[in-house]
Amino acid sequence: MTSRVQALIDVRPSSGHTGAEIHGVDLREELDDATVAEIRSALLTWKVVFFRDQNLDHAQHVAFGRRFGRLTPAHPYESTPPEGFPEILPVDRRRYAEFVGKRKVTHDNGWHTDVTALVNPPAGSILRADVVPPYGGDTAWTNLVAAYQALPEPLRTLADSLRARHSFNLQVFDGSEYGKRIASNPLVAIHPVVRVHPETGERALFVSPSFTARENEIIGLSARQSHRVLELFYEQIARPEFTVRFRWNPGDIAFWDNRATAHLGPSDLGHLDFDRVLYRVTLEGDVPVGVDGAESELVAGQPFLGS
């Protein structure tokens, strides 16, 4: 007779490839190791997991994040995190208007994987909603493993062999206070176009349109060739069947695996006066490894480490 272990959480998939809501857990409480392990398992399976109505404060947010790894400072270019919480990045459209000089809702509202200009991009991010608009402001995620697996075999073989340069695009922030911070401390890394996930062994199509946006980013290709190849991969990761879209409510949490996803910030609020305030903590990442076993290469900057 086989015994069955009672699941500690209720995992409800949100789409065919990507995302699941987790119920039956209160993140304000101290979680036991078994519950943490089940959350991690759901994250590795679905790439992003959502928790409704958690209403964490800063301290609880940090404590939850630390159950899954070392937390880094808020962001390589963040200068004013909440007092007493250097790990927390405010995602607040009012702040962006001040230091970017534009009506931006978030750092980046194009498809991207967080901070891949680092040689060790974050392993994961945990974002919680505080103030959300009555409509609009959704976030979408895409599954980079599913996108890779669905490529035709010749394109998978090509992708396996390529490496790409990742950096911040100064043109987006040119002349702003944020742009000056980037220019004074450039971050550049060369990553495999396909990275092998360190926990699952899965291959993920590791291209980030916001960080590999210029035409000479694929190593060894001409500018024109690089542009065309990247466009093929960008179209692939944005295919709707690999994505999930999340409608925020105050108190909600999204926790994503940054090694296997890209996400799309909202671009539908620029003409509206709604406030939108979220807070993010980030898990320290490892150096990506390609199919050939070669690690990413540091070009400029330093690894971004936690404590």
Side-chain angles (χ1 to χ4, degrees), residues 167-207:
S167 58
F168 277 87
N169 188 350
L170 273 174
Q171 293 178 346
V172 175
F173 305 104
D174 188 38
S176 68
E177 179 61 33
Y178 195 71
K180 293 176 184 176
R181 296 179 203 167
I182 296 172
S184 67
N185 179 31
L187 297 172
V188 184
I190 296 174
H191 295 302
V193 167
V194 176
R195 73 174 294 182
V196 178
H197 196 286
E199 293 185 68
T200 68
E202 295 173 315
R203 296 182 183 185
L205 188 57
F206 199 61
V207 290

Side-chain angles (χ1 to χ4, degrees), residues 35 167 223 226 258 299:
T35 300
S167 58
S226 177
N258 201 56
V299 177

Side-chain angles (χ1 to χ4, degrees), residues 55-58 91-92 94 127-133 248-253 275-279:
N55 298 301
L56 305 185
D57 60 25
H58 287 340
V91 180
D92 184 340
R94 296 166 299 188
L127 184 64
R128 85 177 198 269
D130 183 17
V131 178
V132 299
W248 295 97
N249 294 309
D252 290 348
I253 302 283
D275 287 336
R276 183 179 185 271
V277 182
L278 301 90
Y279 297 98

Side-chain angles (χ1 to χ4, degrees), residues 108-113 116 167-169 172 208-213 234:
D108 192 331
N109 54 13
W111 281 110
H112 66 285
T113 299
T116 58
S167 58
F168 277 87
N169 188 350
V172 175
S208 183
S210 294
F211 292 101
T212 51
Y234 295 159

Side-chain angles (χ1 to χ4, degrees), residues 87-120:
E87 309 91 346
I88 291 181
L89 175 70
V91 180
D92 184 340
R93 67 176 298 171
R94 296 166 299 188
R95 298 176 76 242
Y96 297 137
E98 293 174 3
F99 65 73
V100 176
K102 302 176 183 178
R103 289 173 61 87
K104 289 176 68 68
V105 178
T106 183
H107 270 91
D108 192 331
N109 54 13
W111 281 110
H112 66 285
T113 299
D114 282 335
V115 204
T116 58
L118 290 166
V119 73
N120 66 323

Side-chain angles (χ1 to χ4, degrees), residues 30-286:
E30 184 175 349
L31 303 180
D32 59 39
D33 292 345
T35 300
V36 169
E38 288 203 11
I39 293 172
R40 182 182 293 278
S41 177
L43 177 68
L44 293 175
T45 299
W46 294 103
K47 316 311 179 193
V48 55
V49 293
F50 308 110
F51 304 84
R52 295 288 190 182
D53 302 319
Q54 296 293 321
N55 298 301
L56 305 185
D57 60 25
H58 287 340
Q60 291 164 336
H61 191 177
V62 169
F64 174 63
R66 285 180 174 157
R67 293 307 313 274
F68 296 89
R70 287 159 52 100
L71 298 184
T72 67
H75 188 275
Y77 299 122
E78 175 59 43
S79 61
T80 56
E83 185 175 356
F85 297 96
E87 309 91 346
I88 291 181
L89 175 70
V91 180
D92 184 340
R93 67 176 298 171
R94 296 166 299 188
R95 298 176 76 242
Y96 297 137
E98 293 174 3
F99 65 73
V100 176
K102 302 176 183 178
R103 289 173 61 87
K104 289 176 68 68
V105 178
T106 183
H107 270 91
D108 192 331
N109 54 13
W111 281 110
H112 66 285
T113 299
D114 282 335
V115 204
T116 58
L118 290 166
V119 73
N120 66 323
S125 295
I126 304 171
L127 184 64
R128 85 177 198 269
D130 183 17
V131 178
V132 299
Y135 52 87
D138 298 356
T139 306
W141 284 263
T142 188
N143 184 331
L144 300 180
V145 172
Y148 170 81
Q149 292 172 344
L151 282 171
E153 190 276 333
L155 282 181
R156 289 201 306 272
T157 300
L158 173 64
D160 289 346
S161 69
L162 297 176
R163 298 171 73 80
R165 185 186 311 273
H166 294 236
S167 58
F168 277 87
N169 188 350
L170 273 174
Q171 293 178 346
V172 175
F173 305 104
D174 188 38
S176 68
E177 179 61 33
Y178 195 71
K180 293 176 184 176
R181 296 179 203 167
I182 296 172
S184 67
N185 179 31
L187 297 172
V188 184
I190 296 174
H191 295 302
V193 167
V194 176
R195 73 174 294 182
V196 178
H197 196 286
E199 293 185 68
T200 68
E202 295 173 315
R203 296 182 183 185
L205 188 57
F206 199 61
V207 290
S208 183
S210 294
F211 292 101
T212 51
R214 293 190 295 278
E215 293 184 344
N216 61 346
E217 301 293 25
I218 298 288
I219 305 303
L221 300 188
S222 70
R224 188 177 183 184
Q225 291 166 340
S226 177
H227 175 77
R228 289 184 171 185
V229 169
L230 284 172
E231 282 301 310
L232 283 172
F233 296 149
Y234 295 159
E235 289 176 10
Q236 182 73 1
I237 68 173
R239 282 171 53 179
E241 62 263 41
F242 305 135
T243 68
V244 65
R245 180 167 176 160
F246 187 65
R247 170 68 185 138
W248 295 97
N249 294 309
D252 290 348
I253 302 283
F255 181 2
W256 64 94
D257 186 340
N258 201 56
R259 302 160 297 187
T261 60
H263 55 280
L264 182 67
S267 57
D268 60 347
L269 294 178
H271 64 298
L272 302 173
D273 290 327
F274 299 140
D275 287 336
R276 183 179 185 271
V277 182
L278 301 90
Y279 297 98
R280 191 183 83 191
V281 298
T282 300
L283 297 168
E284 178 185 302
D286 55 329

